[in-house]
Amino acid sequence: MSKFREIAVRYGIITVACAAYAWGFAWCFDANHISVGGFTGIAQIFNYFLPWAPVGVLTIVLNVPLFFLGWKKLGKETLISSLFAMGISSIFIDVFLAVHEFHAMDPILACIYGGLFLGVSGGVMLRQGANTGGSEMAARLLKLKFEGASMGTLLLSVDLTVTVVYAFIFRDMTRALYGVIALYVASLAMDKVIYGANAAKVVQIISEKQEEITARLLELDRGVTLLQGRGAYSGEAKQVILCAVSRSEMVEVKRAVRQIDPTAFVIVMDSYEILGEGFAEHKENSL
């Protein structure tokens, strides 16, 4: 794929994600007057104390230092794509609100579906190296310091703080509680989009027939590591089979173990992310 086509496809995906983001906001949150934090929420708080300052202008002003930090920490490419996403998503929101009259729906449905729209679209944008600014940019920058935290968790923390402060200042706890539900759904959806492709299963197997099981796993073209272990009660030395597999391969692994040694002790764990041969690549500033 040529460089131009690669960029065109990338920005095409970002544009579609921005449209979904804007539709979810207009359909589920704006129509139901539900706050989901973000820098718009902070701007509303400032506007409460400074009525002469428009919310839109305050939002842009608050984003300036974050985008400056984004350029310094994340690079020019992320800055450009994020500015594009912020601008396009804002345009889509204004266009959708202008051409269609959105009506309020059941608040719980608004939180669930709005959270899905925002989480999935936000996750897609982040996978393409973009975001809509505000709390998403803040979460992306926090990720550089708190590498162990997921993007969804960081975004939830930032937005939740804004939502709680918003609720206390405007004394609208009900809308804030709805906003918390939407934020939680959005964070789960975002993590699923960002990390779902790299998620897998890690299996540990303890068996008297470890050589046969290891040979079968190698036949399945999966890497196997043998760990040295010792039974605490018997004191007998044992080898523990460690193997990372995709979710679809887990069925075949369990079938193979069952056929060779039905009494084997098997521990299956969900993997948050696996990097290396056969899985995702190591990338600088990865999410």
Side-chain angles (χ1 to χ4, degrees):
M1 183 182 295
S2 66
K3 186 66 175 179
F4 175 79
R5 186 179 178 187
E6 183 180 335
I7 293 174
V9 169
R10 177 167 171 254
Y11 276 85
I13 293 173
I14 293 173
T15 301
V16 173
C18 287
Y21 180 95
W23 183 266
F25 178 84
W27 179 36
C28 299
F29 297 126
D30 185 76
N32 288 272
H33 306 291
I34 296 175
S35 172
V36 287
F39 273 36
T40 302
I42 297 177
Q44 289 174 313
I45 294 172
F46 275 107
N47 177 258
Y48 178 77
F49 295 105
L50 304 170
W52 49 268
V55 173
V57 173
L58 285 170
T59 303
I60 295 174
V61 171
L62 289 168
N63 269 293
V64 169
L66 274 185
F67 275 104
F68 177 76
L69 282 174
W71 171 64
K72 299 284 287 184
K73 299 286 187 180
L74 302 175
K76 182 175 66 175
E77 189 174 344
T78 298
L79 173 66
I80 293 173
S81 58
S82 297
L83 284 171
F84 174 82
M86 183 178 69
I88 292 297
S89 59
S90 299
I91 291 172
F92 272 125
I93 289 174
D94 290 342
V95 169
F96 289 152
L97 292 176
V99 302
H100 183 75
E101 183 180 356
F102 293 90
H103 299 285
M105 66 175 79
D106 181 89
I108 295 297
L109 288 178
C111 293
I112 294 174
Y113 286 99
L116 287 174
F117 268 101
L118 265 61
V120 172
S121 59
V124 170
M125 280 187 267
L126 285 167
R127 284 183 67 89
Q128 298 299 320
N131 58 73
T132 58
S135 52
E136 288 183 6
M137 178 64 84
R140 185 69 183 89
L141 292 169
L142 286 172
K143 178 69 175 175
L144 298 177
K145 186 170 182 62
F146 303 101
E147 295 182 3
S150 71
M151 281 298 300
T153 300
L154 290 171
L155 185 64
L156 177 63
S157 301
V158 174
D159 282 337
L160 188 59
T161 301
V162 176
T163 300
V164 171
V165 173
Y166 181 94
F168 277 109
I169 290 178
F170 292 100
R171 299 180 182 180
D172 190 357
M173 188 60 68
T174 301
R175 294 296 173 185
L177 291 175
Y178 282 131
V180 170
I181 296 173
L183 289 173
Y184 182 68
V185 174
S187 70
L188 292 179
M190 179 176 289
D191 280 347
K192 198 69 176 177
V193 172
I194 295 174
Y195 305 111
N198 296 335
K201 297 284 187 180
V202 175
V203 57
Q204 294 185 10
I205 305 166
I206 302 174
S207 170
E208 297 295 333
K209 301 180 179 179
Q210 61 87 12
E211 291 183 359
E212 295 178 51
I213 294 175
T214 299
R216 180 69 67 85
L217 293 178
L218 292 174
E219 289 176 4
L220 296 175
D221 198 26
R222 291 287 21 145
V224 177
T225 301
L226 298 178
L227 307 177
Q228 296 298 324
R230 182 179 297 276
Y233 178 76
S234 65
E236 182 182 351
K238 297 177 180 291
Q239 284 191 312
V240 181
I241 302 170
L242 176 67
C243 184
V245 299
S246 65
R247 295 178 184 274
S248 60
E249 293 170 324
M250 193 61 234
V251 175
E252 187 62 33
V253 170
K254 290 168 68 175
R255 182 183 296 118
V257 174
R258 185 173 63 251
Q259 291 173 349
I260 296 171
D261 184 6
T263 63
F265 190 74
V266 181
I267 303 173
V268 180
M269 297 170 288
D270 281 320
S271 165
Y272 181 69
E273 186 175 20
I274 297 180
L275 304 176
E277 186 177 353
F279 294 92
E281 297 179 359
H282 294 271
K283 294 182 179 179
E284 189 177 357
N285 292 331
S286 63
L287 299 172

